[in-house]
């Protein structure tokens, strides 16, 4: 599987406050970004996989909502996260 416990722990350590900080906006956005990149690569090879396409659309919407929340809550945290993850907003 592409996303095992070790990879999740690494993402949460890097972007959250600790390895067990799974609920902060930064850690959730980082996890969603990792999953979005993986699903995008999958869809490049399997363009008729409509279930995955729908899941990708829903995941992008969730990430957008969290980014909007973080933007309104703390603009500096938002800007640093955008720079770390390489998102263009």
């Amino acid at each position: 599987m592409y996303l095992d416990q070790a990879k999740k722990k690494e993402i949460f350590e890097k972007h959250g406050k600790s390895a067990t900080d799974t609920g902060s906006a930064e850690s959730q956005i980082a996890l969603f970004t990792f999953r979005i990149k993986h699903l995008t690569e999958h869809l490049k090879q399997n363009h008729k996989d409509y279930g995955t396409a729908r899941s990708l659309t829903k995941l992008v919407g969730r990430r957008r909502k969290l980014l909007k929340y973080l933007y309104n809550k703390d603009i500096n945290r938002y800007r640093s996260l955008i720079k770390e993850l390489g998102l263009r907003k």
Side-chain angles (χ1 to χ4, degrees):
M1 190 170 169
Y2 77 97
L3 187 61
D4 56 352
Q5 292 295 339
K7 186 64 180 172
K8 279 186 184 180
K9 187 176 180 182
E10 177 186 329
I11 290 171
F12 292 142
E13 282 177 353
K14 186 174 181 184
H15 297 287
K17 295 175 183 130
S18 68
T20 58
D21 180 25
T22 60
S24 70
E26 291 95 338
S27 59
Q28 288 294 307
I29 292 169
L31 183 64
F32 288 165
T33 301
F34 179 79
R35 291 175 61 195
I36 287 169
K37 286 179 183 175
H38 175 42
L39 291 177
T40 302
E41 291 302 316
H42 172 78
L43 282 175
K44 286 181 183 176
Q45 297 171 358
N46 307 295
H47 63 279
K48 290 188 177 182
D49 189 355
Y50 301 117
T52 301
R54 183 168 189 270
S55 298
L56 177 63
T57 304
K58 289 177 76 170
L59 202 55
V60 168
R62 279 193 219 159
R63 183 179 70 177
R64 185 180 303 137
K65 286 178 189 176
L66 277 173
L67 283 169
K68 185 177 178 182
Y69 165 79
L70 193 59
Y71 181 84
N72 291 330
K73 191 77 170 171
D74 189 357
I75 190 78
N76 294 326
R77 285 172 40 197
Y78 169 82
R79 288 181 180 154
S80 67
L81 185 66
I82 291 293
K83 189 179 287 186
E84 282 180 31
L85 295 176
L87 300 176
R88 50 164 197 203
K89 266 227 154 179

